[in-house]
Amino acid sequence: FVQEVLFLPVCVLTRFANLQIPMQCQQLAKAVHSPAYQVTSTQDCFWLGTLKGMEWELIDRQTPAAGVELYYFDGEPCEGGKARDIRIQFFCDPNAGVGNPADYYVVEDSCHYSITWPSVHGCPADGTAAGGSWGWGWITFFIMIAALYLMVGCTYNVTRLG
């Protein structure tokens, strides 16, 4: 069993979080501002992406309330010259809280890392974890009824009243 540690200061830029960066990576953090680091069982430190190499997207475009995905790339080269990268999926879980995740999974495929992180921060900002808001639906419905009323009223006035 090989134990490795990933450091993911998702909400804090690493250059401002040097006290939280693992000791093995502190010197590296001053040279490379990375959002994620890996410390191996042999105490080596690798940067897994750069702040310039980053993308946000929905986990599922058909169901936006499922959560969001943060992808960092252009990390430190590994075997074969491929750059390391890390993908963090924040699945919407209103009960997960705002602190550290209760449960997450890391799948390492060569130099690629994937983390599933149930979090309240993966949920829509309007608090509709179920996948939609009735507020905008009602507003749209009201606007359509008002437009229909005005069109029918104008048509009636033009045809009947001249």
Side-chain angles (χ1 to χ4, degrees), residues 50-109:
T50 65
L51 295 174
K52 292 180 182 178
M54 175 186 89
E55 294 176 358
W56 280 99
E57 57 188 44
L58 295 171
I59 291 173
D60 181 353
R61 293 183 192 273
Q62 301 300 320
T63 311
V68 293
E69 181 174 88
L70 177 58
Y71 178 54
Y72 290 112
F73 49 93
D74 292 336
E76 188 169 350
C78 60
E79 297 173 14
K82 291 192 331 186
R84 288 177 168 81
D85 61 47
I86 187 165
R87 186 175 304 274
I88 307 168
Q89 293 182 321
F90 296 95
F91 279 92
C92 176
D93 183 351
N95 301 317
V98 297
N100 293 328
D103 197 9
Y104 64 91
Y105 305 96
V106 177
V107 177
E108 181 180 339
D109 177 24

Side-chain angles (χ1 to χ4, degrees), residues 101-139:
D103 197 9
Y104 64 91
Y105 305 96
V106 177
V107 177
E108 181 180 339
D109 177 24
S110 185
C111 295
H112 308 286
Y113 303 87
S114 180
I115 298 175
T116 301
W117 189 329
S119 172
V120 68
H121 295 297
C123 299
D126 65 1
T128 56
S133 171
W134 279 96
W136 283 110
W138 282 110
I139 290 171

